[in-house]
Amino acid sequence: MAKNTERRRLLADAGLRVLAREGSRGLTHRAIDEAAGVPVGTASNYFRSREALVSGLVERIGERLAPTPDDLERRSAATPSRALFADYIRDIVRRLTSEREVTLALFELRLESSRRPELAAVLGAWSRAGFEADVKFNTAAGLPGGRREIALFHYAIDGLLLDRLTDPLDPDSSADEVIDMLVAGLLPER
Protein backbone atom coordinates (compact mmCIF):
# COMPACT_ATOMS: atom_id res chain seq x y z
CA MET A 1 0.00 0.00 0.00
CA ALA A 2 2.87 2.42 0.74
CA LYS A 3 4.05 2.11 -2.86
CA ASN A 4 0.55 2.91 -4.08
CA THR A 5 0.42 5.99 -1.87
CA GLU A 6 3.87 7.08 -3.02
CA ARG A 7 2.98 6.52 -6.67
CA ARG A 8 -0.29 8.40 -6.23
CA ARG A 9 1.61 11.37 -4.74
CA LEU A 10 4.18 11.23 -7.54
CA LEU A 11 1.39 11.33 -10.11
CA ALA A 12 -0.49 14.10 -8.32
CA ASP A 13 2.69 16.18 -8.10
CA ALA A 14 3.27 15.64 -11.81
CA GLY A 15 -0.35 16.67 -12.42
CA LEU A 16 0.20 19.88 -10.47
CA ARG A 17 3.31 20.63 -12.54
CA VAL A 18 1.38 20.05 -15.77
CA LEU A 19 -1.52 22.17 -14.57
CA ALA A 20 0.77 25.03 -13.51
CA ARG A 21 2.73 24.88 -16.77
CA GLU A 22 0.03 24.08 -19.33
CA GLY A 23 -3.23 25.17 -17.74
CA SER A 24 -6.33 23.05 -17.40
CA ARG A 25 -6.52 22.25 -21.12
CA GLY A 26 -3.10 20.63 -20.96
CA LEU A 27 -4.00 18.46 -17.97
CA THR A 28 -4.42 14.98 -19.38
CA HIS A 29 -3.60 11.54 -18.05
CA ARG A 30 -1.03 11.14 -20.81
CA ALA A 31 0.64 14.47 -19.96
CA ILE A 32 0.85 13.40 -16.31
CA ASP A 33 2.39 10.05 -17.28
CA GLU A 34 4.99 11.88 -19.33
CA ALA A 35 5.76 14.42 -16.59
CA ALA A 36 6.04 11.67 -13.99
CA GLY A 37 8.19 9.48 -16.23
CA VAL A 38 5.88 6.49 -15.90
CA PRO A 39 4.38 4.18 -18.51
CA VAL A 40 1.38 5.45 -20.46
CA GLY A 41 -1.82 4.50 -18.66
CA THR A 42 -0.40 4.76 -15.14
CA ALA A 43 -2.21 7.99 -14.24
CA SER A 44 -5.52 6.65 -15.52
CA ASN A 45 -5.06 3.56 -13.33
CA TYR A 46 -4.83 5.78 -10.24
CA PHE A 47 -7.29 8.47 -11.33
CA ARG A 48 -9.96 6.83 -13.48
CA SER A 49 -11.78 10.00 -14.51
CA ARG A 50 -11.15 13.70 -14.79
CA GLU A 51 -13.20 14.20 -11.62
CA ALA A 52 -11.08 11.64 -9.74
CA LEU A 53 -7.94 13.31 -11.06
CA VAL A 54 -9.06 16.76 -9.94
CA SER A 55 -10.07 15.39 -6.52
CA GLY A 56 -6.64 13.81 -6.19
CA LEU A 57 -4.94 17.08 -7.16
CA VAL A 58 -7.02 19.08 -4.69
CA GLU A 59 -6.13 16.59 -1.95
CA ARG A 60 -2.44 16.86 -2.83
CA ILE A 61 -2.60 20.67 -2.84
CA GLY A 62 -3.90 20.51 0.72
CA GLU A 63 -1.08 18.19 1.76
CA ARG A 64 1.63 20.32 0.19
CA LEU A 65 0.32 23.62 1.54
CA ALA A 66 -0.41 22.46 5.09
CA PRO A 67 1.65 24.01 7.88
CA THR A 68 4.12 21.72 9.58
CA PRO A 69 3.31 20.55 13.10
CA ASP A 70 6.51 22.29 14.27
CA ASP A 71 5.33 25.62 12.83
CA LEU A 72 1.97 25.28 14.57
CA GLU A 73 3.53 24.19 17.86
CA ARG A 74 6.02 27.05 17.87
CA ARG A 75 3.29 29.64 17.36
CA SER A 76 0.82 28.01 19.77
CA ALA A 77 3.14 28.83 22.66
CA ALA A 78 3.02 32.57 21.84
CA THR A 79 0.54 35.02 23.35
CA PRO A 80 -2.39 35.71 20.99
CA SER A 81 -2.03 39.15 19.40
CA ARG A 82 -2.24 41.05 16.13
CA ALA A 83 1.48 40.42 15.68
CA LEU A 84 0.99 36.66 16.08
CA PHE A 85 -1.95 36.77 13.67
CA ALA A 86 0.29 38.59 11.15
CA ASP A 87 2.94 35.90 11.67
CA TYR A 88 0.41 33.20 10.78
CA ILE A 89 -0.60 35.12 7.66
CA ARG A 90 3.05 35.61 6.64
CA ASP A 91 3.56 31.85 7.01
CA ILE A 92 0.56 31.11 4.80
CA VAL A 93 1.80 33.51 2.11
CA ARG A 94 5.33 32.08 2.41
CA ARG A 95 4.03 28.54 1.86
CA LEU A 96 1.89 29.63 -1.08
CA THR A 97 4.69 31.56 -2.76
CA SER A 98 7.39 28.96 -2.10
CA GLU A 99 5.10 26.29 -3.59
CA ARG A 100 4.61 28.41 -6.71
CA GLU A 101 3.50 25.62 -9.03
CA VAL A 102 1.00 24.34 -6.47
CA THR A 103 -0.50 27.81 -6.08
CA LEU A 104 -0.63 28.34 -9.84
CA ALA A 105 -2.33 24.95 -10.20
CA LEU A 106 -4.85 25.95 -7.55
CA PHE A 107 -5.62 29.19 -9.40
CA GLU A 108 -6.00 27.21 -12.63
CA LEU A 109 -8.48 24.88 -10.95
CA ARG A 110 -10.42 27.80 -9.51
CA LEU A 111 -10.69 29.39 -12.95
CA GLU A 112 -11.76 26.13 -14.54
CA SER A 113 -14.36 25.65 -11.80
CA SER A 114 -16.13 28.77 -13.06
CA ARG A 115 -16.91 26.83 -16.25
CA ARG A 116 -17.39 23.34 -14.83
CA PRO A 117 -20.02 22.86 -12.12
CA GLU A 118 -18.70 19.41 -11.14
CA LEU A 119 -15.28 20.90 -10.43
CA ALA A 120 -16.87 23.85 -8.62
CA ALA A 121 -18.58 21.37 -6.30
CA VAL A 122 -15.31 19.60 -5.41
CA LEU A 123 -13.19 22.72 -5.13
CA GLY A 124 -15.90 24.74 -3.41
CA ALA A 125 -16.38 22.10 -0.72
CA TRP A 126 -12.61 21.95 -0.17
CA SER A 127 -12.29 25.76 0.00
CA ARG A 128 -15.21 26.15 2.40
CA ALA A 129 -13.87 23.38 4.66
CA GLY A 130 -10.50 25.16 4.73
CA PHE A 131 -12.18 28.45 5.57
CA GLU A 132 -14.21 26.86 8.38
CA ALA A 133 -11.03 25.25 9.74
CA ASP A 134 -9.29 28.64 9.67
CA VAL A 135 -12.16 30.28 11.58
CA LYS A 136 -12.17 27.45 14.14
CA PHE A 137 -8.38 27.60 14.52
CA ASN A 138 -8.40 31.38 14.94
CA THR A 139 -11.10 31.18 17.61
CA ALA A 140 -9.44 28.30 19.48
CA ALA A 141 -6.07 30.09 19.43
CA GLY A 142 -7.65 33.25 20.82
CA LEU A 143 -6.39 35.29 17.88
CA PRO A 144 -8.06 38.59 17.02
CA GLY A 145 -10.69 38.72 14.30
CA GLY A 146 -13.70 36.59 13.64
CA ARG A 147 -15.40 34.97 10.68
CA ARG A 148 -15.77 38.25 8.76
CA GLU A 149 -12.11 39.20 9.17
CA ILE A 150 -10.91 35.71 8.22
CA ALA A 151 -13.00 35.93 5.03
CA LEU A 152 -11.48 39.34 4.25
CA PHE A 153 -7.99 37.92 4.75
CA HIS A 154 -8.78 35.05 2.38
CA TYR A 155 -9.88 37.54 -0.28
CA ALA A 156 -6.84 39.72 0.31
CA ILE A 157 -4.35 36.83 0.26
CA ASP A 158 -5.82 35.51 -2.98
CA GLY A 159 -5.34 38.95 -4.55
CA LEU A 160 -1.84 39.33 -3.13
CA LEU A 161 -0.81 35.91 -4.46
CA LEU A 162 -2.26 36.54 -7.90
CA ASP A 163 -0.35 39.82 -7.96
CA ARG A 164 2.95 38.24 -6.81
CA LEU A 165 2.72 35.22 -9.10
CA THR A 166 2.01 37.31 -12.18
CA ASP A 167 3.09 40.92 -12.71
CA PRO A 168 3.16 42.78 -9.37
CA LEU A 169 1.56 46.20 -9.15
CA ASP A 170 4.35 47.34 -6.84
CA PRO A 171 7.31 44.99 -7.20
CA ASP A 172 9.32 47.01 -4.67
CA SER A 173 6.95 46.33 -1.77
CA SER A 174 7.44 43.11 0.14
CA ALA A 175 4.65 40.68 0.91
CA ASP A 176 5.41 41.20 4.60
CA GLU A 177 4.78 44.94 4.26
CA VAL A 178 1.47 44.27 2.54
CA ILE A 179 0.46 41.77 5.23
CA ASP A 180 1.32 44.24 8.00
CA MET A 181 -0.84 46.89 6.30
CA LEU A 182 -3.71 44.41 5.91
CA VAL A 183 -3.54 43.35 9.55
CA ALA A 184 -3.41 46.98 10.71
CA GLY A 185 -6.36 47.88 8.49
CA LEU A 186 -8.58 44.88 9.13
CA LEU A 187 -7.97 44.08 12.79
CA PRO A 188 -8.72 46.72 15.40
CA GLU A 189 -6.36 47.29 18.31
CA ARG A 190 -7.55 45.59 21.48
Side-chain angles (χ1 to χ4, degrees):
M1 187 65 171
K3 284 186 179 182
N4 288 344
T5 301
E6 289 173 23
R7 176 64 63 99
R8 186 176 174 83
R9 282 190 191 122
L10 171 92
L11 292 165
D13 287 340
L16 294 173
R17 282 193 307 277
V18 169
L19 191 54
R21 186 181 62 236
E22 304 294 329
S24 62
R25 288 186 181 257
L27 183 66
T28 64
H29 288 94
R30 185 177 291 272
I32 292 170
D33 290 339
E34 186 177 314
V38 297
V40 172
T42 304
S44 62
N45 284 333
Y46 282 82
F47 306 105
R48 293 273 182 207
S49 65
R50 176 108 174 154
E51 186 176 334
L53 174 59
V54 167
S55 291
L57 296 181
V58 168
E59 179 182 321
R60 187 65 179 140
I61 288 169
E63 291 170 358
R64 288 188 54 185
L65 294 179
T68 67
D70 290 342
D71 284 342
L72 291 174
E73 185 178 328
R74 179 176 52 80
R75 286 186 189 89
S76 70
T79 303
S81 65
R82 279 176 49 176
L84 180 60
F85 184 89
D87 190 45
Y88 276 109
I89 299 295
R90 274 193 281 286
D91 180 59
I92 292 166
V93 170
R94 179 196 53 77
R95 281 183 274 128
L96 287 161
T97 54
S98 67
E99 289 278 359
R100 187 176 198 279
E101 73 182 13
V102 175
T103 305
L104 287 171
L106 179 55
F107 277 127
E108 286 287 342
L109 288 174
R110 289 186 69 182
L111 289 169
E112 185 179 351
S113 74
S114 71
R115 295 178 294 277
R116 297 191 48 228
E118 68 280 5
L119 175 55
V122 170
L123 198 55
W126 180 80
S127 293
R128 285 186 293 281
F131 171 70
E132 294 299 335
D134 289 347
V135 171
K136 184 177 178 181
F137 174 83
N138 205 66
T139 302
L143 291 166
R147 182 178 200 78
R148 176 185 164 273
E149 290 80 12
I150 299 300
L152 291 172
F153 276 103
H154 272 259
Y155 304 143
I157 289 169
D158 284 350
L160 175 60
L161 289 166
L162 185 59
D163 178 78
R164 296 304 157 125
L165 293 173
T166 56
D167 188 20
L169 289 172
D170 182 6
D172 295 330
S173 68
S174 73
D176 287 349
E177 290 172 323
V178 173
I179 291 165
D180 288 342
M181 288 186 284
L182 287 169
V183 170
L186 294 175
L187 292 178
E189 288 281 354
R190 285 189 180 201

